[in-house]
Amino acid sequence: LSPDGSVFYVADMSSNGVWLIDGESLRVLRFLPTGAGAHGLYPSRDDRFLYVTNRAAGSISVISFAKRRIVKTWHIPGGGSPDMGNVSANGNVLWLTGRWNGVVYAIDVRNWRLLAKIPVGAGPHGLCVWPQPGRYSLGHTGILR
């Protein structure tokens, strides 16, 4: 959900992108192609951006809430499968599982640098990062508003 509550962002793995849905009328506003296997949605702590994990593309797309468009796409160095996770409490690190690579990624979102690729075993499909701001869960892994 956008910070002002006016737009729902819905990841669609089959269509490889994100649907923008009007929060009041529930009508489709548009579709943003982000990358193959669009899956996880994580708002930045300052509510300026939405990080979209594109599992099959090995990338993360950054959507500007203000512009409602993609402002950056970053690829995991050496390839990867970014999946589920969340943003650190200070907003500096995006923690994500690497679903098909058996790792957890720590990504510095201030300069888009891979801080760590931590081996964790086969098929990690969720990562809890707490504390999270917000009062109501919107589902998935720690998506709250």
Side-chain angles (χ1 to χ4, degrees):
L1 188 61
S2 64
D4 65 2
S6 66
V7 178
F8 286 99
Y9 289 79
V10 181
D12 185 340
M13 289 180 69
S14 298
S15 298
N16 302 318
V18 174
W19 295 97
L20 280 67
I21 312 290
D22 183 271
E24 190 170 324
S25 69
L26 299 181
R27 285 189 252 206
V28 172
L29 297 172
R30 64 193 277 210
F31 178 77
L32 292 174
T34 59
H39 187 62
L41 302 171
Y42 308 102
S44 64
R45 287 288 169 259
D46 61 8
D47 280 335
R48 293 176 52 216
F49 303 108
L50 181 65
Y51 306 123
V52 181
T53 59
N54 304 304
R55 184 193 302 163
S59 67
I60 296 145
S61 295
V62 182
I63 296 174
S64 164
F65 280 123
K67 297 177 183 178
R68 295 185 186 168
R69 67 177 180 86
I70 298 166
V71 295
K72 180 177 194 61
T73 299
W74 182 80
H75 292 267
I76 301 285
S81 55
D83 194 36
M84 294 170 57
N86 224 311
V87 181
S88 64
N90 68 6
N92 296 336
V93 180
L94 179 60
W95 289 90
L96 300 170
T97 57
R99 178 78 183 267
W100 299 327
N101 299 88
V103 298
V104 166
Y105 308 107
I107 302 156
D108 187 327
V109 295
R110 295 168 299 177
N111 59 19
W112 289 97
R113 186 170 61 95
L114 182 63
L115 299 172
K117 190 184 283 191
I118 305 162
V120 295
H125 189 213
L127 180 67
C128 185
V129 179
W130 291 99
Q132 291 293 309
R135 188 170 171 188
Y136 301 101
S137 173
L138 300 178
H140 218 255
T141 306
I143 301 174
L144 294 110
R145 278 286 186 231

